[in-house]
C-alpha cells in the first residue's frame, strides 16, 4: 500500500470550471469493476476480425477451420502464460460459473456420498453447486473467515477427512478483495490426497499468481473481470488431475468441454490475458494508488468503517460501512448522481439480504446492510475519485438525515 494521499481535494484538484463541465459531460463514473469490466479497446480490435470477415469451426480441416484453430490455440497459450501453466492444461468454458460447477460436479460424479470442504467466502456458483451436492447426500463443511475476511489454512486442513473428495478456496474474494492462503491450504490438501479448486476469477489481471506454485489442482479465470468479453473463461486443470466433463457432445477441448468454440470470445480472452501478463505491475501500482487515495478520502466521512483494511487485499477493492443508513439506498442515490458502485447484498424476492460474506465474518446484519463495495479499474483516474468523494459524503449525510428525521419526530412527540 502506498502512503495515504493528500486528503485535501481542493488542494490536489483545484476547482476548474472547464474541467468540471467536462467531467459532467463525461457521463457516469464506473466504480463497479468486480461486477464486470469494460472491454479494453485493444481486446476489441483483436476480436473484431472474428466477428466480421474471419470465421470457421476450429474442428474443420479446411483452411477456415485451421485459421480458427490457430486463433483458439494462441488464446490457450496466452491464458496458460497468465495462470502459470501449460496450454494443454487449459480448458475453455463460457463462464467462471460453468468452470466452478464443472469441477464440483466432476469431483462427485458417479459416486454417492463423500465430503466437500468450501469456504463461506466462495462465489454463489460454488455455494449453489455445493447445496445441490448436499441434496445428493454429500456432506459439506463450510469454513467461516475470521473478522479479517481471511479463512485460516489450518482450519481447512483440520476439516479434511478420509472421504473428502474436493476442497475449494478462492484466491481473492469478490466483495472484500481479501486474499486467501491458497498455497498453505493446497499443501495440506496434497498431504491428504485431496484436490483443491481455486477460483481466481477476481484475482486475474490484478494479482500475480502461478497455478503450479500455488499447488492447486483446478483454477478458474473469466475474461469479463479483466477487460475481456463476457462468455469466455478458462479452467486450468493440473496435468494428471481427474476431470469428468460437465458438458458432453463433440470432442472439443480434448473431450473435456463439448461445444463449438466461441472463437471471437476466446480470442478476446487470450488478448486480455496477454495484456494482463504484460501490464500487471503497472496496473497494480496504479490501482493501489487510486484505492489509497479513495480510502484516505473515506476517512473524512464520519463513521465510515473500512472492512478488512489491514488484510492482504486486491489493489482495487474497497468495502465500507456507513453506520445508520441503507447501503442499497446509497447505491441508488449514487447512481442518480452519476457513480456506479454496488452492495455485496443479494436481493431475493424484493427483500435485501445482508451479505453472506460479511455475516460469515461476524459483521452485524445492520452494518452489513449499511455497506457498499467500490471496485476500481484501469480506466478510473484521480479526477474521478476526487469527484466521487464529495458526492459520496453528501449522499451519506443526506441519507443519515432522512433516517434520523422520523426518530427525531417520534422523540419530539
Ligand atoms: C469470485 C468469482 N467467481 C466466479 C464468478 C462467476 O464468473 P462468471 O461471471 O464468469 O460466471 C464471479 C463473478 O462475479 C466471481 O466474482
Amino acid at each position: 500500500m502506498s502512503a495515504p494521499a493528500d486528503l485535501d481535494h481542493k488542494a490536489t484538484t483545484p476547482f476548474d470550471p472547464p474541467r468540471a463541465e467536462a467531467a459532467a459531460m463525461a457521463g457516469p463514473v464506473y466504480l463497479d469493476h468486480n461486477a464486470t469490466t469494460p472491454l479494453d479497446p485493444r481486446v476489441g480490435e483483436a476480436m473484431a476480425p472474428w466477428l466480421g470477415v474471419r470465421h470457421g469451426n476450429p474442428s474443420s480441416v479446411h483452411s477456415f477451420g485451421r485459421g480458427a484453430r490457430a486463433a483458439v490455440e494462441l488464446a490457450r497459450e496466452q491464458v496458460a502464460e497468465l495462470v502459470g501453466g501449460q496450454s494443454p492444461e487449459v480448458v475453455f468454458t463460457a463462464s467462471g460459473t460453468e468452470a466452478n460447477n464443472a469441477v464440483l460436479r466432476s469431483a462427485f460424479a458417479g459416486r454417492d456420498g463423500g465430503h466437500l470442504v468450501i469456504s463461506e467466502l466462495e462465489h454463489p456458483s460454488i455455494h449453489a453447486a455445493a447445496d445441490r451436492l448436499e441434496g445428493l447426500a454429500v456432506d459439506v463443511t463450510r469454513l467461516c473467515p475470521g473478522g479479517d475476511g481471511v479463512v485460516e489454512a489450518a482450519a481447512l486442513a483440520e476439516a479434511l477427512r478420509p472421504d473428502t473428495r474436493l476442497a475449494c478456496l478462492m484466491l481473492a474474494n469478490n466483495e472484500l478483495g481479501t486474499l486467501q492462503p491458497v498455497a498453505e491450504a493446497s499443501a495440506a490438501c496434497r498431504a491428504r490426497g485431496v484436490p483443491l479448486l481455486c477460483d481466481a476469477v477476481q484475482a486475474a489481471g490484478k494479482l500475480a499468481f502461478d497455478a503450479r506454485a500455488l499447488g492447486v489442482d483446478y483454477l478458474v479465470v473469466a475474461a469479463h473481470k479483466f477487460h475481456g468479453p463476457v462468455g469466455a473463461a478458462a479452467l486450468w486443470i493440473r496435468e494428471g488431475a481427474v476431470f469428468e466433463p460437465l458438458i458432453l457432445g463433440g470432442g472439443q477441448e480434448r473431450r473435456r468441454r463439448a461445444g463449438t468454440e466461441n472463437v471471437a470470445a476466446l480470442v478476446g480472452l487470450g488478448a486480455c490475458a496477454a495484456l494482463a501478463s504484460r501490464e500487471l505491475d503497472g496496473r497494480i501500482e496504479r490501482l493501489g494508488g487510486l484505492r489509497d487515495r479513495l480510502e484516505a478520502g473515506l476517512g473524512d466521512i464520519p463513521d465510515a468503517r473500512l472492512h478488512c483494511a489491514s488484510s492482504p487485499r486486491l489493489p482495487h477493492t474497497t468495502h465500507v460501512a456507513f453506520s445508520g443508513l441503507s447501503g442499497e439506498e446509497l447505491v441508488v442515490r449514487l447512481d442518480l448522481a452519476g457513480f456506479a458502485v454496488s452492495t455485496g447484498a443479494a436481493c431475493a424476492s424484493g427483500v435485501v439480504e445482508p451479505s453472506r460474506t460479511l455475516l460469515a465474518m461476524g459483521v452485524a446484519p445492520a452494518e452489513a446492510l449499511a455497506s457498499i463495495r467500490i471496485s476500481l479499474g484501469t480506466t478510473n483516474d484521480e479526477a474521478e475519485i476526487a469527484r466521487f468523494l464529495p458526492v459520496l459524503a453528501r449522499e451519506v449525510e443526506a441519507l443519515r438525515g432522512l433516517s434520523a428525521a422520523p426518530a427525531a419526530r417520534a422523540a419530539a412527540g
Side-chain angles (χ1 to χ4, degrees), residues 95-97 100 123 125 170 174 199 201-202 222 224-225:
S95 65
T97 295
N100 282 336
H123 184 263
S125 53
M170 68 195 335
N174 41 306
D199 175 343
V201 165
Q202 290 293 347
H224 76 104
K225 303 291 186 180

Side-chain angles (χ1 to χ4, degrees), residues 162-233:
D163 64 339
T164 308
R165 293 204 198 139
L166 182 72
C168 306
L169 186 60
M170 68 195 335
L171 193 48
N173 179 258
N174 41 306
E175 289 181 48
L176 306 161
T178 49
L179 307 185
Q180 305 303 314
V182 172
E184 272 175 88
S186 80
C189 286
R190 255 195 325 280
R192 305 286 294 270
V194 174
L196 181 68
L197 162 63
C198 176
D199 175 343
V201 165
Q202 290 293 347
K206 294 135 202 164
L207 182 78
F209 63 83
D210 179 302
R212 268 186 201 287
L214 285 172
V216 301
D217 297 86
Y218 311 95
L219 183 136
V220 176
V221 299
H224 76 104
K225 303 291 186 180
F226 58 113
H227 303 286
V230 177

Side-chain angles (χ1 to χ4, degrees), residues 210-297:
D210 179 302
R212 268 186 201 287
L214 285 172
V216 301
D217 297 86
Y218 311 95
L219 183 136
V220 176
V221 299
H224 76 104
K225 303 291 186 180
F226 58 113
H227 303 286
V230 177
L235 166 60
W236 173 86
I237 305 176
R238 183 183 53 75
E239 199 194 337
V242 173
F243 183 71
E244 288 281 329
L246 175 67
I247 300 180
L248 303 173
Q252 292 91 351
E253 298 297 300
R254 298 172 168 235
R255 305 200 170 280
R256 292 170 298 183
R257 200 275 190 179
T260 303
E261 297 89 341
N262 182 349
V263 180
L266 297 181
V267 166
L269 168 58
C272 72
L275 289 169
S277 299
R278 209 160 62 220
E279 299 176 356
L280 189 62
D281 291 347
R283 284 187 196 178
I284 291 172
E285 196 184 327
R286 189 174 136 68
L287 291 173
L290 286 178
R291 192 266 315 265
D292 292 349
R293 168 96 169 89
L294 169 73
E295 294 190 355

Side-chain angles (χ1 to χ4, degrees), residues 29-258:
V29 175
Y30 189 71
L31 301 171
D32 193 17
H33 291 82
N34 286 12
T36 194
T37 53
L39 194 72
D40 187 311
R42 296 168 294 177
V43 174
E45 266 171 41
M47 294 171 66
W50 294 101
L51 294 164
V53 290
R54 296 202 69 180
H55 64 95
N57 185 325
S59 299
S60 300
V61 293
H62 48 61
S63 62
F64 291 82
R66 290 198 309 277
R69 166 63 52 211
V72 168
E73 294 314 316
L74 172 62
R76 204 183 305 280
E77 280 168 30
Q78 291 164 321
V79 170
E81 190 186 340
L82 178 73
V83 304
Q86 301 295 316
S87 36
E89 296 171 317
V90 173
V91 177
F92 289 128
T93 65
S95 65
T97 295
E98 181 196 323
N100 282 336
N101 269 268
V103 176
L104 269 80
R105 272 290 271 280
S106 162
F108 293 88
R111 289 176 291 171
D112 287 338
H115 178 228
L116 169 68
V117 178
I118 66 173
S119 87
E120 272 292 346
L121 293 177
E122 301 302 311
H123 184 263
S125 53
I126 286 186
H127 279 297
D131 291 349
R132 168 170 298 182
L133 287 170
E134 206 165 30
L136 299 172
V138 171
D139 201 8
V140 182
T141 299
R142 297 175 178 84
L143 301 170
C144 280
D148 57 357
V150 178
V151 172
E152 280 186 25
L156 189 143
E158 259 174 48
L160 300 176
R161 308 190 320 211
D163 64 339
T164 308
R165 293 204 198 139
L166 182 72
C168 306
L169 186 60
M170 68 195 335
L171 193 48
N173 179 258
N174 41 306
E175 289 181 48
L176 306 161
T178 49
L179 307 185
Q180 305 303 314
V182 172
E184 272 175 88
S186 80
C189 286
R190 255 195 325 280
R192 305 286 294 270
V194 174
L196 181 68
L197 162 63
C198 176
D199 175 343
V201 165
Q202 290 293 347
K206 294 135 202 164
L207 182 78
F209 63 83
D210 179 302
R212 268 186 201 287
L214 285 172
V216 301
D217 297 86
Y218 311 95
L219 183 136
V220 176
V221 299
H224 76 104
K225 303 291 186 180
F226 58 113
H227 303 286
V230 177
L235 166 60
W236 173 86
I237 305 176
R238 183 183 53 75
E239 199 194 337
V242 173
F243 183 71
E244 288 281 329
L246 175 67
I247 300 180
L248 303 173
Q252 292 91 351
E253 298 297 300
R254 298 172 168 235
R255 305 200 170 280
R256 292 170 298 183
R257 200 275 190 179

